[in-house]
Amino acid sequence: MLIVRAADPDDAPGIARVHVEAWQATYRGIIPQNYLDSLTVQNRTIGWIRILQRQDDAITLVSEEHDGRIVGFASGGPIRHRDNRFQCELTSLYVSPRAQRRGHGRRLFLAVANRLHGMKLTGLFTWVLAENPARSFYQVMGGEQAAELTRDFAGVPLKEIGYGWRETPHYD
Ligand SMILES: CC(C)(COP(=O)(O)OP(=O)(O)OC[C@H]1O[C@@H](n2cnc3c(N)ncnc32)[C@H](O)[C@@H]1OP(=O)(O)O)[C@@H](O)C(=O)NCCC(=O)NCCS
């Protein structure tokens, strides 16, 4: 059974492991290799403890396999830039490469969106690297291309596509 639940600071090492595995697998050949090589579970754990201890409107959820191992995480909150069409943003969504295509991504996406909907935030937005092979996941989830920009990642300009949902997806 897949379990999706709210993360707490004790989950930081498990989230960090998924973060490093997913970034190194997904962004190889896209984000500079020296940046990917510099990611470690140790330094990401420190970053995630900080994020999870913050008392703000951000939500972080984890997805576990039946043995309790964290294999995915997602976060979201009020949108970070101004866009009249969207009030909330999915800020991360990662599933460990060996656990992909088993439904964790879909469940995490819907669970974060549902919580944002519960916070009365209408219209969901997310940025995805244009070269990300998993980009079409967001189309399958009903997102429509809504924005585009080029941002600097570790010294390299990379194109990002913004996907939007006019209504924040939620459970009925
Ligand atoms: C994108 C991601 C979160 C999807 O999670 P997942 O658990 O593998 O996806 P699910 O099993 O819930 O898939 C649901 C549906 O989305 C679509 N989908 C998922 N991954 C896809 C991919 N790589 N390419 C195309 N469609 C995809 C499929 O239609 C899938 O249904 P199916 O397996 O029945 O065909 C996951 O692949 C991931 O973490 N990738 C690496 C990191 C990343 O790209 N994160 C998003 C950028 S911020």
Side-chain angles (χ1 to χ4, degrees):
M1 196 173 69
L2 309 182
I3 291 177
V4 172
R5 60 168 177 84
D8 67 47
D10 289 346
D11 295 317
I15 295 174
R17 185 178 36 73
V18 173
H19 183 138
V20 174
E21 287 173 358
W23 271 63
Q24 291 180 338
T26 308
Y27 299 136
R28 193 183 179 82
I30 303 175
I31 288 179
Q33 192 59 37
N34 58 355
Y35 178 79
L36 296 179
D37 290 344
S38 77
L39 294 174
T40 65
V41 173
Q42 209 177 4
N43 64 34
R44 284 295 82 219
T45 297
I46 294 166
W48 275 102
I49 288 174
R50 269 195 217 117
I51 293 168
L52 295 169
Q53 282 176 337
R54 234 181 261 155
Q55 302 287 323
D56 57 17
D57 287 342
I59 297 161
T60 302
L61 303 182
V62 292
S63 184
E64 294 178 343
E65 289 279 12
H66 57 277
D67 59 2
R69 200 174 158 84
I70 292 173
V71 293
F73 67 90
S75 42
I79 194 162
R80 294 172 296 180
H81 65 283
R82 216 184 140 68
D83 188 319
N84 292 336
R85 299 168 295 175
F86 310 106
Q87 293 179 339
C88 57
E89 181 174 357
L90 178 78
T91 46
S92 68
L93 173 59
Y94 291 95
V95 175
S96 176
R98 61 181 172 277
Q100 288 177 7
R101 299 306 276 263
R102 301 218 292 260
H104 290 284
R106 182 193 297 271
R107 279 167 189 251
L108 282 164
F109 171 83
L110 287 174
V112 168
N114 195 53
R115 288 188 183 221
L116 295 168
H117 179 261
M119 291 161 67
K120 308 270 179 269
L121 296 169
T122 304
L124 174 69
F125 182 86
T126 196
W127 287 114
V128 190
L129 282 174
E131 290 181 62
N132 184 341
R135 209 177 99 186
S136 53
F137 168 82
Y138 293 107
Q139 278 154 298
V140 172
M141 294 297 130
E144 291 178 355
Q145 284 200 27
E148 195 177 303
L149 63 66
T150 298
R151 211 195 305 251
D152 192 87
F153 272 83
V156 174
L158 292 176
K159 189 167 147 189
E160 289 190 281
I161 306 293
Y163 284 93
W165 291 255
R166 291 295 177 126
E167 258 209 56
T168 308
H170 55 279
Y171 309 130
D172 288 321

